[in-house]
Amino acid sequence: MAELFRASEHEPIASVEWDDSRVEAAIRTIVSDAETAFEGTRWPWHPRDGEEDGFSDVYWGGAGVIWALHELGSTGWGDAAVSFIDHYRAQPLVVEYETPMSYSFGELGIALVAFRVTGDPGLADRVHELVLSPIDPDTNEVMNGTAGKLLAAEAMLAWTGEARWEEAWGALADEVEAGRGTDGLWTQHLGKDARYLGVAHGFAGNERALANRRPVEVDAVLARHVLRDGPLANWPPGEGSRPDEIRVQWCHGAPGIVAALGAVMDEELALSGGELTWRAGPLAKSSGLCHGTAGNAYAFLVLHRRTGDELWLDRARAFAMHAIGQVERERAALGRGRYSLFTGDVGVALFLRHLLDGEVSFPTMGPFSA
């Protein structure tokens, strides 16, 4: 029997009843804290985010915080959003596969956010230039590769309706599909060659980017790589992953695969992945989106949308209340919040808003609306 999760990486769910007013208050507190904490050029770096770097980008940095704040109704971020483009150009991340065309870590994502909050036509032109610029074809994933450019083009199409984005999206989609292997997987070159299954760097992310506007067929790959234990299902991070690499996170594992593909994959398999996510419990390491409690709960939102079963809404609400407690405890311990879309508090607030509003789309992954 495969070990589908490690209890040491999770914690018992808090026995806190769902309370709309507390959720709304938590959103307001997180937004207010982020607004106040902005230092004029950046947000403070959190020690749990490792070595200080990437303070401008969508994943770790200011552009991602502004993405969330804008979606949460906070205004007046135009100048700051544009300034992060200059910050990135002055000090880009020096990593082989992280280029200006990177959606999550490069100028593309930063410029996309700046356009979103300003509507500046010049920024739209810059996004278009980056979308059309050559990128390492072997990257083959959403955070750094062509699939990320596909998401940027889709967002611009939704926000502007301009024909040039339809044309760009079609060309990029063809490029992404051409990189798929005969067995349905892509090979990623991210410092080393790998064949990932999850959303952040692999199969599920690429298929999600395509599925926003094209039909996809994902069941054969998911069935071939699934790990089962009765009613539970999980997936390894990638082809050939060791047992000790198994995760239950948005980035790698069942929560992300169900959040990304739960609407288009085999329903029984999706439900089994959701059940695994619930049985494992909230993640102990974080409340956030990429590898935290709130990110995992998007699987429940997708399953509620697909099945109409209130059980999944109740489970999303339970994870939401737990995530609020995690944010509060960590803020009390450090004396301030954690300012990052994918690892920090604003990502949790965006999940809470989506939960209240009946939205199921994981931030940055689409489908996008005007």
Side-chain angles (χ1 to χ4, degrees):
M1 181 186 302
E3 182 182 49
L4 301 192
F5 70 93
R6 286 176 291 280
S8 60
E9 296 174 358
H10 302 265
E11 58 189 35
I13 194 160
S15 299
V16 181
E17 290 188 7
W18 172 254
D19 183 342
D20 287 59
S21 62
R22 186 181 177 197
V23 173
E24 291 281 10
I27 295 171
R28 290 194 299 271
T29 298
I30 291 170
V31 169
S32 176
D33 179 57
E35 291 172 336
T36 303
F38 186 61
E39 298 176 336
T41 58
R42 58 179 298 169
W43 274 274
W45 193 258
H46 196 281
R48 291 186 65 188
D49 284 330
E51 183 178 350
E52 185 167 346
D53 205 348
F55 71 86
S56 304
D57 63 35
V58 167
Y59 185 94
W60 300 108
V65 177
I66 291 173
W67 182 309
L69 290 175
H70 177 79
E71 294 298 313
L72 291 164
S74 182
T75 59
W77 295 103
D79 289 345
V82 173
S83 76
F84 284 123
I85 301 174
D86 297 329
H87 290 315
Y88 174 82
R89 289 175 178 171
Q91 192 176 7
L93 289 177
V94 184
V95 179
E96 176 186 357
Y97 49 83
E98 292 172 357
T99 71
M101 286 73 72
S102 169
Y103 182 52
S104 298
F105 302 107
E107 186 183 341
L108 173 58
I110 303 169
L112 182 72
V113 173
F115 170 79
R116 180 60 166 159
V117 298
T118 66
D120 185 331
L123 288 170
D125 291 342
R126 178 56 177 162
V127 174
H128 194 253
E129 179 183 355
L130 290 167
V131 161
L132 296 184
S133 297
I135 197 168
D136 182 356
D138 295 328
T139 307
N140 282 327
E141 48 90 68
V142 296
M143 289 195 162
N144 302 280
T146 302
K149 298 201 303 181
L150 185 64
L151 288 166
E154 182 203 340
M156 291 299 292
L157 177 60
W159 298 340
T160 70
E162 294 176 358
R164 61 175 171 169
W165 300 108
E166 181 81 56
E167 181 180 350
W169 193 94
L172 291 165
D174 290 345
E175 186 177 336
V176 171
E177 290 189 330
R180 186 194 285 113
T182 56
D183 63 353
L185 290 178
W186 286 263
T187 299
Q188 292 80 33
H189 178 71
L190 301 170
K192 64 177 182 178
D193 286 342
R195 309 192 81 206
Y196 288 115
L197 289 163
V199 187
H201 297 301
F203 167 82
N206 289 2
E207 295 288 10
R208 177 69 266 158
L210 290 166
N212 288 345
R213 304 191 73 238
R214 279 187 184 177
V216 297
E217 172 51 59
V218 300
D219 287 341
V221 170
L222 294 178
R224 187 165 65 249
H225 293 279
V226 70
L227 305 172
R228 299 297 303 254
D229 183 1
L232 309 180
N234 199 3
W235 287 265
E239 191 175 67
S241 293
R242 303 186 310 271
D244 65 336
E245 294 175 316
I246 297 296
R247 296 291 183 269
V248 184
Q249 302 174 172
W250 175 82
C251 48
H252 297 295
I257 285 176
V258 175
L261 302 177
V264 297
M265 65 190 284
D266 174 79
E267 184 171 308
E268 187 277 331
L269 207 53
L271 291 170
S272 296
E275 188 65 32
L276 180 281
T277 303
W278 174 252
R279 297 271 190 99
L283 280 158
K285 70 169 73 172
S286 169
S287 58
L289 295 180
C290 186
H291 34 262
T293 301
N296 282 16
Y298 274 94
F300 305 147
L301 297 183
V302 169
L303 291 173
H304 177 244
R305 171 71 62 83
R306 177 163 182 175
T307 67
D309 188 340
E310 293 293 307
L311 169 71
W312 298 107
L313 179 59
D314 289 342
R315 289 177 169 183
R317 287 173 167 175
F319 267 43
M321 301 307 290
H322 191 96
I324 290 170
Q326 288 179 299
V327 169
E328 292 171 346
R329 290 195 303 272
E330 187 157 336
R331 186 188 299 121
L334 188 65
R336 62 171 173 83
R338 188 174 185 177
Y339 309 109
S340 157
L341 172 57
F342 273 80
T343 65
D345 303 347
V346 292
V348 177
L350 200 48
F351 159 67
L352 297 175
R353 175 52 58 200
H354 286 171
L355 174 56
L356 289 169
D357 292 349
E359 172 60 66
V360 304
S361 296
F362 190 92
T364 76
M365 294 300 294
F368 296 94
S369 58

